Every structure is written in structure tokens, then in C-alpha cells.
Amino acid sequence: MKFSAYALLKNALTGSVWPEQWSSPEPRASYDVVIVGAGGHGLATAYYLASEHGIRNVAVLEKGWLGGGNTGRNTTIIRSNYLWEESQKLYEHAVKLWEGLSQELNYNVMYSPRGVMMLAHTLHDVQSAKRHIHANRLGGIDNEWLTPEQAQAFCPILNVGPNIRYPVLGAALQRRGGTARHDAVAWGYARAASKRGVHIIQNCEVTGIRRAPSGEVIGVETGKGFIGAKRVGVVAAGHTSVLMGMADVRMPLESYPLQALVSEPVKPVMPCVVMSNTVHAYMSQSDKGELVIGAGTDAYTSYSQTGGLHISAHTLDAICELFPVVRRMKMLRNWGGIVDVTPDRSPIIGKTPVEGLFVNCGWGTGGFKATPGSGHVFAHTLATGEPYAINAPFTLDRFLTGRLIDEAAAAAVAH
Amino acid sequence: MLLIDCPHCGPRPELEFRYGGEAHVARPAEPATVDDAQWMAFLYLRSNPKGLHFERWRHMSGCGRFFNCARDTVSDKILKTYPAGQARPSLEALGLAPVDHEVRA
Ligand SMILES: Cc1cc2nc3c(=O)[nH]c(=O)nc-3n(C[C@H](O)[C@H](O)[C@H](O)COP(=O)(O)OP(=O)(O)OC[C@H]3O[C@@H](n4cnc5c(N)ncnc54)[C@H](O)[C@@H]3O)c2cc1C
Ligand SMILES: [Zn+2]
């Protein structure tokens, strides 16, 4: 079934029930590729394996429900204004795919390039923001400097007055940055992958990785029994260390709870995304009208998927200073996701020391924006056994050679 | 927020402390003799377990000292804190059955 204005109208008039958007088959005995984790990255990987590489004998195994991990818990900020050339290429690859994604998937992912504005509050912030702007322009990525007045013109509810603890000294604006609908991204990829023959198997936890005596991967143990695989791609975000441990691979990762909140829905007040690394707060408004607010990570590693209340309270303090108009609003929900953080805040996408085992992880607090690009380059890696040019620098080996891609400044705030 | 029992000062709210990462990660005694793989393991590889974790904390707004802590990373329950330099407590001392640890590590 294809979504279109005609289909919508016909369905509205006939009142028929929409068909299931993806099938839920029982697993086969084995697959060419098994992907562990049906978040956006895993589903996108499966979709591109089928659509670009003709590999359709693929299963995506998910321990819970599709998109129920960080994909369904994030604040959906999309941008590509990272510092280093390697990262710029990786995230820009994703932004380019976002631009045509709804058409490609025939599913409205509600990508909205409404502009992402990152505030500077100290001299150091100003210098660092300008350095990023120059680096981005050299890399062909849009990013521009705004004075406080220009910043307020772009986001009228922003307080640029001198009466706050850290006054706004300016901002870096990426106009092509924005947001998308998180669930729709997972659903759209799932639907498009399922249509091409990919098996999406929910409620199927991977509990072991089985290897031949010679060392290579031959399949996975799951809640639904053993499933054979020529290649296995682990795309499990916060649980990557646990899964890789099943194949005796130690990872340069730590898992932390990261939180977000939404307010009661209100009329449109916030035309863009505003982020601040220094006071640690960021906000946008969903199409439903809720203010979507991102808080920080807890100080310690955890798999609790909640996070301490003082972390979100701290963010609300900063939000009330930056946007005084929201002070009386009520928060509807807060929640946490478990993010997998690397020492250089850049992802790991590629091979592992185990033959046939591949990993796509370490997206930490900021991987939603990369979903299409990540899936695209990882599909290439799984299909050919070798990285795509764009993900070639993002190896596990870089922690051995020392060729780190340090995005600690770009990723200092959880986004 | 955690309530952390500093071995030197007693129980205090988490805000008084700073997290110090995984405990018992020893710096190589003879750095010049160590190869890249060993440096990688020391600098970057972490066990990051789902379950029992041994970690360092520093009591910033109190005695200022580092100490170690055994915590369950699923429930966030602190099982034991102990002074830096002490060996990690046995599973029995933490009130855990050995199998517990293996399944969840
Ligand atoms: C509060 C919050 C806010 C964020 N805000 C932003 C933002 O604004 N912009 C941005 O770019 N990024 C943001 N991120 C980060 C972003 O959400 C992630 O980087 C991204 O969604 C990761 O996608 P994924 O598909 O790799 O992971 P996930 O969606 O987490 O998918 C991994 C899946 O693996 C499954 N799994 C785990 N273990 C097993 C197993 N043993 N067997 C089977 N399945 C398993 C999980 O259940 C999960 O569904 C945020 C994250 C959080 C938590
Ligand atoms: Zn103390």
C-alpha cells in the first residue's frame, strides 16, 4: 500500500482499517545478515541492505518493541555542524538523506529544517563557536554567527538581557538543522524494510553470540532459539558493551542515563531549536505543541533508564532563565534513555576483532540526527565487509592508533 | 539522587561527590615496556557491566578523598563503599551469589 493524498481521502470516506505496516514473521533458521537492535540505526541498516545492496535475507532482532530504545526517547535535534572534517562528512551525509527521506520511504518523517541555534555565554563559548563556524564553512557546511539581537529575532522568546547569570553573548546558527518525528523514522524504515523482505522480529532478545571453533561468528542465541547468520551487526546503543561481551570483545564505551522532558502542549511559541552547552539546556517545540526539553546525563554509568531528578531540575533552572515566558508551565513527562558514550564522543562504525561481527555504536547523546547516514554506511560495511569512505575513520582501532576524532566540544551538551 | 556512604565521613548526598570512573584499573607499572594494545586497554576499554560495577568516587565537598564503591548498575543500589587501595570485596561480602554476577556481568 502506498500513502498518498488519494489513499488518505479514500480511507477517510470508506472508514476502512489501515493495513499492518510491517509483518511480524517467525524467524528463519538462518539469515545472511542478522542485525541486533531495532532502533532507527538498525532498521535503517536493514533498509539500505535490501534497497541498495540487494541483500534481503536479513533479520532485525529486537528485545523489546521497535523504536522503544533511544530512538523513541530522544529530542530529535538534527544538525551537521561538527568540528572535524571526518564528523562533518558523516553527519552531513545524514542531513542530505534526511532532506529526501519522506519521499524515499513514502512515509512522513516530518523532517523540519527550522534552524538550530547554539548559544554562547562566555568568551570561551564565543571563541569555540566561531572556530566551529570557520571549520564548518571550510567543510562546506552552513553555520553562521548571530549577535544577541539577531539571536532574539530568530527566537523571540529568548532572553538576551543582561539580567541572567550567563547572559547570551551571541549564537551559532545552522539554518538547515532542525527536527524530525522520532517514531516515524523507526516506523518508516521498518515499513520500507519489511516491504523488501526484511524480517523484523520483536520481543526477541539476543542472549549470546555463537562462534565456530575457528573464531568466526555463526549466529546468535535468542529468546526464540538459535538463529544462524553469516554476518552479525550489533546496533544496540546503550547495551553494546553487554552484547560485545558475549563475543569476548571489550569496548571503549560507558553507558549513562540521559533524560528529557516535555511540557503541556501550548500554541506555537518556539520557531526553532535553541541549545546551550554552558548552562546545559535545550528546547524546541513539537508539532503537538509540547515544549521538548533535553537534560543531561547522570554522573555515573547506569542501565536504570531513569536518571536522577536533580539532573532535570538543573536543566529547568536554566530553561526558566533563558525563556522566562515558560516559567509557569507544567511538565507532563520526563524519562531517560541509556546512551553509549565513547572517550572521543564519536561513534564506532565498522569491523571488530571477531570475523563476521560488526558494530555500529558509540552515538552517545547525539545519534538520532545521524540515523539515515549511519544506516547507509553501515549497510555498505555489512554488505562488502569493508567500510564506506565516510565511516572509514570511525574504527574501533582508532583507540589503538590514537587517531581519535575528538568531538567533546561539539557534543558537550546531550543532544 | 544517590545517598553515598563516604568511608571517611559517612552518608552524604550525591551532590557532594564527583564520579571517578571504573575502579581497579591499574596504570602499567613499567610504562616504557607496554605496547599499544595494553595502553588502549588501560586508557579506553571499560567493562561497563549491566549489574555489579566497581567504581571510584571522590568526596569533593567533604574530605576530598577518593574511595571505591560497589554498585548495581540496574537498580543503582550501592552495595558497599571502601577506602581506595583496598582489594575489591568478594561477592559473598557483597551479599551476592556468585551466579548472580556471572549472568549479569
Ligand atoms: C533523552 C535523550 C535525548 C536525545 N536527544 C538527541 C537529539 O536531540 N539529537 C540526536 O541526534 N540524538 C539524541 N539522542 C541520542 C539518540 O537517541 C541515539 O544516539 C540514537 O537514537 C541511537 O539510535 P539506535 O538505533 O542506535 O539506538 P536505539 O534506538 O536505542 O536502539 C537500540 C535497540 O537495541 C535493542 N537491544 C538492546 N539489547 C538487545 C539485545 N540483547 N537483543 C535485542 N535487542 C537489543 C534495544 O531494545 C533498542 O531498541 C538522545 C538520546 C536520549 C536518551
Ligand atoms: Zn568524605
Side-chain angles (χ1 to χ4, degrees):
Chain A
M1 191 218 79
K2 192 169 179 321
F3 285 120
S4 64
Y6 171 72
L8 201 64
L9 188 68
K10 186 176 149 211
N11 200 272
L13 293 177
T14 59
S16 60
V17 178
W18 292 100
E20 234 177 29
Q21 297 299 311
W22 55 82
S23 55
S24 301
E26 282 306 306
R28 289 186 197 121
S30 79
Y31 293 90
D32 291 339
V33 179
V34 161
I35 292 165
V36 185
H41 290 228
L43 292 164
T45 306
Y47 167 73
Y48 292 113
L49 273 172
S51 68
E52 299 227 334
H53 303 278
I55 302 179
R56 290 158 186 252
N57 186 21
V58 175
V60 187
L61 309 181
E62 166 57 50
K63 77 174 156 110
W65 67 94
L66 172 169
N70 295 342
T71 298
R73 295 164 186 270
N74 84 97
T75 50
T76 77
I77 297 175
I78 297 171
R79 59 188 184 86
S80 61
N81 52 356
Y82 281 68
L83 181 61
W84 301 107
E85 218 179 300
E86 293 88 342
S87 325
Q88 289 170 12
K89 288 194 174 130
L90 181 66
Y91 291 98
E92 183 62 18
H93 184 51
V95 169
K96 294 242 165 72
L97 289 169
W98 278 116
E99 285 165 352
L101 197 60
S102 293
Q103 293 303 323
E104 169 159 8
L105 298 180
N106 177 235
Y107 205 87
N108 189 0
V109 300
M110 296 165 78
Y111 169 58
S112 161
R114 58 183 70 180
V116 173
M117 193 161 74
M118 300 170 85
L119 304 179
H121 304 271
T122 64
L123 184 61
H124 174 79
D125 282 358
V126 173
Q127 288 168 345
S128 151
K130 289 191 172 169
R131 182 180 175 206
H132 278 75
I133 290 171
H134 294 312
N136 289 154
R137 292 206 163 172
L138 285 172
I141 308 241
D142 74 302
N143 199 359
E144 64 195 87
W145 178 251
L146 302 185
T147 63
E149 294 69 35
Q150 289 170 322
Q152 200 193 27
F154 197 70
C155 181
I157 63 169
L158 178 66
N159 179 8
V160 295
N163 60 333
I164 61 174
R165 175 69 185 83
Y166 292 102
V168 175
L169 302 182
L173 171 65
Q174 184 174 29
R175 290 184 193 271
R176 288 164 63 244
T179 58
R181 169 104 165 89
H182 48 9
D183 293 331
V185 176
W187 299 337
Y189 273 121
R191 172 172 173 269
S194 176
K195 204 171 126 195
R196 285 165 179 77
V198 169
H199 280 186
I200 297 163
I201 301 164
Q202 305 183 67
N203 297 310
C204 180
E205 178 166 2
V206 170
T207 53
I209 294 178
R210 198 187 282 182
R211 295 166 65 178
S214 43
E216 76 271 19
V217 165
I218 52 172
V220 292
E221 318 288 345
T222 79
K224 296 183 191 261
F226 174 76
I227 300 176
K230 290 189 193 132
R231 287 186 174 155
V232 172
V234 171
V235 199
H239 280 77
T240 305
S241 295
V242 177
L243 278 150
M244 297 301 285
M246 296 171 190
D248 297 321
V249 179
R250 273 168 70 81
M251 296 296 288
L253 290 173
E254 288 186 307
S255 297
Y256 293 93
L258 174 66
Q259 294 181 63
L261 311 80
V262 290
S263 73
E264 54 192 327
V266 288
K267 288 264 158 46
V269 285
M270 183 87 192
C272 59
V273 182
V274 174
M275 310 175 54
S276 167
N277 289 358
T278 295
V279 301
H280 211 295
Y282 59 94
M283 187 163 94
S284 65
Q285 188 169 18
S286 75
D287 293 328
K288 276 189 284 182
E290 303 152 324
L291 296 175
V292 180
I293 297 171
T297 53
D298 277 292
Y300 48 85
T301 62
S302 174
Y303 290 81
S304 65
Q305 213 159 247
T306 51
L309 189 60
H310 63 290
I311 303 286
S312 34
H314 173 80
T315 288
L316 290 178
D317 289 348
I319 290 286
C320 290
E321 284 251 296
L322 287 176
F323 308 101
V325 68
V326 309
R327 277 185 187 172
R328 310 278 303 264
M329 285 186 64
K330 295 183 184 72
M331 291 299 134
L332 279 193
R333 302 187 293 281
N334 71 326
W335 64 88
I338 301 301
V339 297
D340 46 333
V341 177
T342 57
D344 62 0
R345 303 294 187 271
S346 288
I348 299 166
I349 318 162
K351 301 193 227 185
T352 72
V354 176
E355 180 80 33
L357 181 63
F358 297 78
V359 72
N360 183 352
C361 68
W363 291 97
T365 60
F368 176 74
K369 62 175 71 64
T371 305
S374 159
H376 187 256
V377 299
F378 195 49
H380 178 98
T381 310
L382 278 167
T384 63
E386 293 300 326
Y388 196 64
I390 291 175
N391 65 313
F394 293 88
T395 58
L396 183 54
D397 258 14
R398 72 178 186 270
F399 298 97
L400 185 70
T401 61
R403 291 195 65 84
L404 304 193
I405 304 162
D406 184 359
E407 291 291 351
V413 71
H415 51 281
Chain B
M1 189 181 305
L2 303 179
L3 181 64
I4 303 174
D5 193 4
C6 171
H8 311 290
C9 312
R12 301 291 171 85
E14 181 194 329
L15 292 182
E16 291 191 13
F17 299 83
R18 188 167 296 164
Y19 181 65
E22 186 168 5
H24 307 293
V25 180
R27 186 181 163 85
E30 298 278 353
T33 65
V34 165
D35 66 14
D36 287 352
Q38 284 164 296
W39 276 123
M40 173 179 174
F42 167 69
L43 289 170
Y44 302 125
L45 300 185
R46 295 294 175 261
S47 45
N48 195 24
K50 184 173 185 175
L52 178 61
H53 189 224
F54 295 95
E55 62 201 24
R56 304 189 311 159
W57 286 85
R58 187 173 177 204
H59 194 185
M60 297 297 289
S61 311
C63 60
R65 294 168 77 176
F66 277 98
F67 59 92
N68 291 334
C69 171
R71 184 175 53 90
D72 183 324
T73 63
V74 178
S75 64
D76 287 339
K77 189 169 180 233
I78 293 177
L79 304 172
K80 193 177 173 58
T81 54
Y82 52 102
Q86 255 181 32
R88 74 178 80 198
S90 67
L91 294 176
E92 297 78 71
L94 296 171
L96 297 176
V99 57
D100 250 331
H101 180 49
E102 266 169 37
V103 169
R104 303 176 63 192

